[in-house]
């Protein structure tokens, strides 16, 4: 198209936009995670075509400034950029002297009538201040063009409770593209999550380019495609069947993602799983298996349990392989930590392998758990020489750990308690709060998922600091993270559905002060957040409508019954006759009621007049 036509088109578009310009007014704040301090004030600030951005003492070309400018433009806010504060300006400034309260990630956001100030000690703080500001804009801002947006004046002072606010993504069980991973990083940034745990290797596929061992990618990254059947029904590969499902990230793509994450103040932690969960390695390099293991390994398809594949712990070439792989991993990931797995390594092969047993004897080890610890500590020592630290799943404690290793406590809280008492850092990912691959609602109404239930309400109860440790031990708890295993998640669209809105709850548990958590307020904020996420193109679960039951005993032996709910606006009707529907005599639940022990209470949940899911029945037990 000729340049003159382009100019004409631009002018015309601008005129049309000006012509149909609308004004949006935001009255209530729905910020997730909840800030430390919010003071609502009289007055409002209006975004318009006169709004400017000023980067006062950070360069306009630094990554944070570029991100902010680009994001504003993507949201159709045609703001001009300068370096001095003016009227109608959003001014970003770094503190001349550090504000101790804000730390490395905190910020102050002040919305006044004619100016918005965001200040922080670091660019990270400014980035988070900007994320908060974005959550003050209309929920449809990513798709709607407004001529004016009016937001309320306020002062927000904010900083995180925990330094580790993570999100884990399993790209082995299903492969997600670079574009998908970027979308995930955008989601993390929106909720101030800052550690991306990238589960790159597992039985079902090796997902990172390693030049020295090309079969990891030629063989280990590909499996027979069974995407047409549910995960649990996948049949084993037949002789000669083509391995057409999979993929891996080229080094250039890894760099692109790490850079994209850094622009969003997110550190990337690669996980290279040892010594178990390694079918894909053994499919590529069978001689890394134990001496007596005659299994013909394939990159696994569908459930693989118990996961018997294990790298031989007595074979020096396995150790050399691990060092070589780390040599290629280290330059790609600037962050200090590398995750080395360590979970669920079934050691029956080691018990029978003459090489493993010889190593155990030679090193004076007591058992196979100690052999695993020896392997992990060898890799740890290798990484430490290059300035890296390891993280491992809590099984790394079983045979003993160095004091520098960080423990990811997934089998409950015990791993973290043990780690903190031992002086090791711990990251909390207990299954019962953090495994977002579990069902979030009634399986009858949800697509297949890992066979446990973890509703939003439960996620929101997540308290990362385990009971039973002292205040000084609690300092070893770095934070926590949501884990998303991808057995049942064929594509990123479905990953979003599993993550949202539960990831918002995890974010609030990790950022906000414990005493600021407030379930009814969080639930109400999700109305805005869910709509905003949908407008941003994310796939969000509508909600679980089974009422949450609370009972308590009265002095006269009767039981008090009350319900809570997950979705704002839900109306619960109940009955002791088995017919709780509105039109069948159900009683609207508004306050606790009394029944005798053993009574069956049934409920019907409605949203916007529509009956949701099914009739649920509870037997009210004596306590
Ligand atoms: C794990 O879920 N196996 C860490
Ligand atoms: Zn062995």
């Amino acid at each position: 198209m000729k340049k003159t036509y382009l100019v004409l088109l631009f002018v015309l578009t601008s005129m049309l936009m000006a012509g149909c310009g609308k004004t949006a007014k935001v009255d209530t704040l729905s910020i997730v995670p909840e800030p430390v301090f919010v003071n609502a004030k009289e007055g409002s600030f209006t975004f318009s075509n006169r709004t400017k951005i000023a980067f006062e003492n950070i360069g306009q070309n630094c990554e944070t400034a570029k991100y902010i400018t680009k994001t504003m433009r993507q949201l159709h806010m045609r703001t001009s950029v300068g370096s001095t504060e003016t009227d109608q300006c959003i001014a970003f400034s770094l503190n001349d002297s550090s504000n101790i309260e804000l730390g490395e990630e905190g910020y102050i956001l002040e919305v006044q009538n004619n100016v918005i100030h965001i200040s922080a000690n670091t660019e990270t703080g400014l980035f988070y201040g900007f994320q908060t500001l974005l959550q003050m804009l209309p929920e449809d801002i990513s798709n709607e063009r407004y001529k004016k947006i009016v937001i309320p004046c306020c002062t927000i002072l904010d900083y995180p409770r925990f330094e580790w606010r993570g999100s884990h993504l399993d790209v082995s069980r299903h492969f997600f593209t670079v574009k998908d991973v970027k979308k995930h990083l955008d989601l993390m940034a929106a909720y101030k999550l800052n550690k991306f745990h990238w589960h790159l290797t597992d039985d079902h596929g090796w997902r990172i380019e390693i030049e020295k061992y090309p079969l990891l990618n030629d063989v280990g990254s590909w499996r027979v495609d069974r995407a047409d059947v549910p995960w649990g029904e996948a049949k084993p590969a037949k002789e000669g069947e083509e391995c057409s499902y999979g993929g891996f990230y080229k080094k250039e793509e890894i760099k692109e993602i790490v850079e994209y994450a850094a622009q969003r103040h997110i550190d990337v932690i690669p996980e290279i799983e040892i010594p178990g969960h390694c079918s894909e390695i053994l499919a590529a390099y069978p001689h890394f298996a134990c001496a007596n293991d005659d299994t013909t390994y394939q990159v696994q398809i569908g459930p693989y349990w118990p996961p018997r594949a294990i790298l031989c712990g007595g074979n020096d070439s396995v150790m050399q392989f691990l060092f070589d792989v780390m040599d290629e991993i280290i330059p790609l990931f600037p962050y200090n930590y590398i995750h080395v797995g360590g979970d669920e390594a079934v050691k029956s092969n080691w018990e029978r392998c003459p090489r493993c047993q010889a190593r155990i004897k030679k090193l004076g080890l007591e058992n196979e758990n100690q052999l695993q610890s020896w392997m992990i500590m060898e890799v740890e020592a290798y990484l430490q020489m290059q300035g890296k630290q390891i993280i491992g799943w809590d099984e790394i404690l079983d045979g003993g750990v160095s004091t520098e290793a960080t423990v990811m406590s997934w089998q409950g809280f015990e791993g973290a308690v043990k780690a903190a008492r031992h002086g090791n850092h711990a990251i909390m990912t207990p299954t019962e709060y953090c495994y977002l691959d579990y069902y979030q609602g009634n399986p009858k109404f949800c697509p297949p998922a890992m066979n446990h239930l973890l509703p939003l309400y439960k996620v929101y109860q997540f308290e990362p600091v385990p009971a039973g440790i002292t205040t000084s031990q609690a300092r070893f708890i770095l934070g926590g993270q949501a884990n998303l295993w991808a057995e049942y998640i064929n594509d990123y669209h479905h990953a979003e559905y599993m993550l949202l809105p539960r990831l918002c709850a995890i974010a609030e548990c990790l950022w906000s002060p414990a005493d600021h958590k407030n379930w009814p307020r969080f639930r109400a904020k999700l109305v805005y957040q869910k709509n905003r996420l949908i407008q941003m193109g994310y796939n969000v679960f509508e909600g679980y409508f089974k009422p949450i039951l609370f009972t308590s005993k009265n002095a006269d032996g009767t039981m008090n019954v009350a319900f809570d709910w997950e979705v704002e606006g839900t109306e619960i009707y109940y009955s002791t006759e088995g017919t709780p529907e509105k039109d069948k005599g159900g009683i609207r639940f508004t306050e606790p009621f009394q029944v005798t022990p053993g009574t069956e209470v049934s409920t019907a949940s409605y949203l916007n007049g529509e009956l949701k899911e099914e009739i649920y029945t509870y037997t009210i037990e004596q306590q």
Side-chain angles (χ1 to χ4, degrees):
M1 202 187 290
K2 276 208 195 120
K3 211 168 161 191
T4 35
Y5 290 131
L6 276 175
V7 172
L8 270 175
L9 191 68
F10 174 72
V11 173
L12 193 65
T13 319
S14 309
M15 279 165 51
L16 281 174
M17 271 160 35
C20 66
K22 292 187 280 189
T23 296
K25 189 160 183 298
V26 177
D27 293 318
T28 42
L29 301 184
S30 298
I31 299 158
V32 172
E34 183 65 24
V36 173
F37 175 86
V38 182
N39 187 11
K41 297 194 168 145
E42 287 293 308
S44 59
F45 178 90
T46 303
F47 289 88
S48 71
N49 57 7
R50 289 179 53 222
T51 308
K52 299 184 192 64
I53 303 178
F55 295 111
E56 294 194 322
N57 51 6
I58 57 167
Q60 288 175 27
N61 286 323
C62 77
E63 289 301 340
T64 304
K66 282 198 292 193
Y67 173 93
I68 291 168
T69 310
K70 192 170 164 203
T71 305
M72 291 296 279
R73 295 205 167 131
Q74 279 167 347
L75 297 177
H76 322 295
M77 307 235 213
R78 301 210 146 266
T79 39
S80 64
V81 177
S83 58
T84 44
E85 184 187 322
T86 55
D87 197 35
Q88 299 303 313
C89 171
I90 312 167
F92 292 85
S93 61
L94 289 172
N95 297 327
D96 291 334
S97 58
S98 184
N99 176 333
I100 303 284
E101 195 178 6
L102 299 184
E104 290 292 303
E105 299 184 284
Y107 63 91
I108 294 176
L109 165 62
E110 286 181 285
V111 180
Q112 299 171 2
N113 287 320
N114 55 354
V115 65
I116 295 175
H117 281 290
I118 300 182
S119 61
N121 297 331
T122 62
E123 274 185 42
T124 309
L126 296 181
F127 181 82
Y128 289 142
F130 179 62
Q131 291 302 333
T132 297
L133 182 64
L134 290 177
Q135 293 193 10
M136 294 184 181
L137 300 177
E139 58 196 23
D140 57 359
I141 185 73
S142 24
N143 296 311
E144 228 10 283
R145 283 164 195 258
Y146 289 104
K147 202 169 175 198
K148 290 189 176 164
I149 298 169
V150 183
I151 65 168
C153 288
C154 61
T155 299
I156 296 180
L157 180 148
D158 200 13
Y159 50 84
R161 179 175 173 208
F162 292 104
E163 67 184 78
W164 192 286
R165 305 180 303 280
S167 173
H168 150 288
L169 187 65
D170 167 14
V171 296
S172 175
R173 273 48 178 268
H174 283 99
F175 183 57
F176 302 115
T177 64
V178 171
K179 193 166 163 229
D180 296 333
V181 175
K182 287 184 175 175
K183 199 173 177 199
H184 187 69
L185 293 166
D186 286 338
L187 181 61
M188 288 179 63
Y191 294 101
K192 305 188 177 88
L193 296 168
N194 64 346
K195 309 289 174 194
F196 175 50
H197 173 172
W198 205 358
H199 187 78
L200 288 165
T201 74
D202 213 306
D203 295 297
H204 297 81
W206 180 281
R207 303 282 177 232
I208 181 165
E209 180 183 14
I210 299 292
E211 286 165 76
K212 190 155 186 186
Y213 296 89
L215 297 184
L216 284 176
N217 300 123
D218 292 349
V219 175
S221 300
W222 302 95
R223 67 175 186 246
V224 170
D225 193 350
R226 293 278 185 273
D228 53 334
V229 294
W231 182 262
E233 290 164 31
K235 296 268 182 322
K238 292 193 223 78
E239 187 71 32
E241 218 177 342
E242 192 198 356
C243 289
S244 57
Y245 179 87
F248 63 93
Y249 306 101
K250 305 280 287 178
K251 286 188 174 170
E252 283 312 308
E253 293 175 319
I254 297 275
K255 284 184 202 156
E256 188 183 328
I257 286 172
V258 169
E259 199 175 309
Y260 192 86
Q263 287 158 0
R264 285 150 187 77
H265 297 267
I266 295 170
D267 297 310
V268 182
I269 300 94
E271 181 180 350
I272 307 296
E273 173 86 72
I274 58 174
H277 282 297
C278 64
S279 303
E280 86 293 20
I281 304 177
L282 299 181
Y285 296 101
H287 64 284
F288 292 153
C290 277
N292 56 349
D293 182 3
D294 53 10
T295 315
T296 303
Y297 285 96
Q298 52 174 296
V299 181
Q300 299 294 338
I301 39 181
Y304 175 54
W305 199 262
R308 286 192 200 284
I310 190 162
L311 297 168
C312 181
N315 182 345
D316 289 341
S317 66
V318 166
M319 298 313 293
Q320 191 55 48
F321 163 75
L322 296 175
F323 300 149
D324 291 341
V325 167
M326 290 306 174
D327 281 344
E328 296 195 36
I329 295 291
I330 291 165
L332 295 172
F333 296 94
Y335 191 45
N336 289 351
Y337 289 96
I338 291 182
H339 199 303
V340 296
D343 61 317
E344 300 175 322
V346 177
K347 300 188 182 67
S348 44
N349 286 352
W350 284 8
E351 286 162 18
R352 292 188 302 262
C353 171
R355 285 193 306 239
C356 286
Q357 291 305 317
R359 174 98 79 201
I360 288 176
K361 198 160 166 220
K362 184 165 167 225
L363 296 174
L365 305 176
E366 281 170 21
N367 53 35
E368 287 71 25
N369 280 343
Q370 290 195 354
L371 180 59
Q372 165 160 331
S373 290
W374 173 82
M375 273 181 99
I376 287 185
M377 283 196 239
E378 287 289 292
V379 172
E380 180 179 20
Y382 191 78
L383 290 171
Q384 277 175 343
M385 282 190 304
Q386 302 178 69
K388 299 289 182 189
Q389 285 175 271
I390 65 155
I391 303 175
W393 300 109
D394 53 37
E395 289 95 328
I396 65 168
L397 290 161
D398 295 347
V401 276
S402 78
T403 41
E404 288 83 36
T406 296
V407 174
M408 197 162 259
S409 190
W410 72 279
Q411 301 178 93
F413 291 77
E414 300 73 26
V417 171
K418 214 168 148 189
R421 289 189 180 146
H422 189 254
N424 289 77
H425 282 128
I427 298 161
M428 307 307 303
T429 70
T431 53
E432 71 250 57
Y433 295 99
C434 298
Y435 270 42
L436 304 191
D437 55 328
Y438 291 2
Y439 279 102
Q440 53 194 329
N442 185 338
K444 262 196 227 170
F445 307 103
C446 293
M450 198 51 88
N451 196 18
H452 301 276
L453 179 63
L454 176 50
L456 175 71
Y457 178 77
K458 178 83 190 279
V459 176
Y460 195 71
Q461 312 304 312
F462 176 38
E463 167 45 52
V465 177
I469 58 172
T470 63
T471 314
S472 59
Q473 288 164 348
R475 282 201 282 274
F476 288 101
I477 309 298
L478 297 180
Q481 75 181 27
N483 289 349
L484 194 69
W485 301 100
E487 283 90 342
Y488 290 88
I489 301 172
N490 285 27
D491 55 40
Y492 191 69
H493 187 67
H494 190 53
E496 295 165 10
Y497 170 90
M498 297 306 286
L499 290 166
L500 297 169
R502 290 184 293 182
L503 194 67
C504 301
I506 292 277
E508 191 148 306
C509 295
L510 295 173
W511 177 283
S512 310
D515 62 1
H516 280 40
K517 276 170 60 180
N518 176 321
W519 167 249
R521 181 176 64 191
F522 176 73
R523 179 178 62 198
K525 290 190 297 189
L526 283 189
V527 175
Y528 167 87
Q529 293 295 345
K530 285 160 95 174
N531 287 338
R532 174 180 185 243
L533 285 161
I534 290 165
Q535 292 282 342
M536 287 161 81
Y538 288 98
N539 182 15
V540 183
F541 175 59
E542 188 194 8
Y544 183 30
F545 289 93
K546 181 176 183 183
I548 305 154
L549 174 72
F550 293 92
T551 59
S552 62
K553 194 173 172 185
N554 293 312
D556 64 1
T558 61
M559 301 296 296
N560 270 323
V561 179
F563 296 109
D564 205 341
W565 54 94
E566 291 205 351
V567 180
E568 186 72 0
T570 301
E571 294 179 355
I572 297 171
Y573 285 74
Y574 69 91
S575 156
T576 52
E577 312 291 322
T579 51
E581 295 94 328
K582 273 188 203 191
D583 54 354
K584 294 186 186 161
I587 307 163
R588 171 87 194 267
F589 171 76
T590 52
E591 56 185 6
F593 56 93
Q594 288 75 45
V595 297
T596 51
T599 305
E600 288 205 335
V601 177
S602 54
T603 62
S605 300
Y606 294 84
L607 186 69
N608 302 325
E610 186 194 333
L611 177 63
K612 292 292 185 180
E613 297 173 4
E614 60 185 4
I615 305 302
Y616 290 103
T617 302
Y618 308 77
T619 303
I620 309 303
E621 308 286 358
Q622 174 120 41
Q623 280 174 343

